[in-house]
């Protein structure tokens, strides 16, 4: 649940743009401020989405767990590589 909370917190940061307090906004032009806010929000939203997806996979794994099916890290990477766009991972 901690991973899900971290994901949700990143969505909140993206929505509220609280990261702007760490930027040197006074040194930026209006366009630079706009794009810094947009790209920052996009980055936090992407991280929030990724963490939420990881939390979902962890929860599904918890509910569907069967220790007899455990295969290890190498098998997990091979399974990912066989998926569509898996080579990009």
């Amino acid at each position: 649940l901690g991973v899900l909370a971290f994901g949700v917190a990143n969505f909140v940061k993206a929505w509220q743009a609280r990261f702007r307090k760490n930027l040197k906004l006074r040194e930026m032009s209006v366009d630079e401020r706009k794009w810094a806010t947009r790209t920052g929000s996009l980055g936090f939203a992407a991280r929030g989405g990724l963490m939420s997806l990881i939390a979902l996979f962890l929860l599904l794994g918890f509910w569907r767990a069967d220790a007899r099916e455990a295969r290890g890290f190498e098998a997990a990477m091979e399974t990912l590589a066989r998926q569509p766009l898996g080579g990009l991972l």
Side-chain angles (χ1 to χ4, degrees):
L1 293 177
V3 176
L4 181 59
F6 183 70
V8 170
N10 276 279
F11 277 121
V12 171
K13 279 185 182 180
W15 182 259
Q16 295 178 346
R18 287 187 285 170
F19 59 88
R20 288 174 46 111
K21 67 182 179 189
N22 297 323
L23 300 176
K24 297 178 180 178
L25 297 174
R26 293 176 191 244
E27 297 177 17
M28 296 181 187
S29 69
V30 173
D31 285 339
E32 289 171 333
R33 282 191 293 256
K34 179 174 61 174
W35 283 103
T37 301
R38 286 180 181 174
T39 57
S41 291
L42 180 64
F44 277 105
R47 185 164 56 179
L50 179 62
M51 291 297 131
S52 298
L53 188 60
I54 289 171
L56 174 67
F57 287 145
L58 289 172
L59 288 172
L60 287 173
F62 173 74
W63 282 316
R64 298 179 181 177
D66 185 356
R68 294 171 293 198
E69 294 180 7
R71 299 185 332 189
F73 183 76
E74 184 176 346
M77 291 295 108
E78 288 172 359
T79 301
L80 279 175
R82 287 193 301 268
Q83 302 304 310
L85 300 177
L88 296 175
L89 297 175

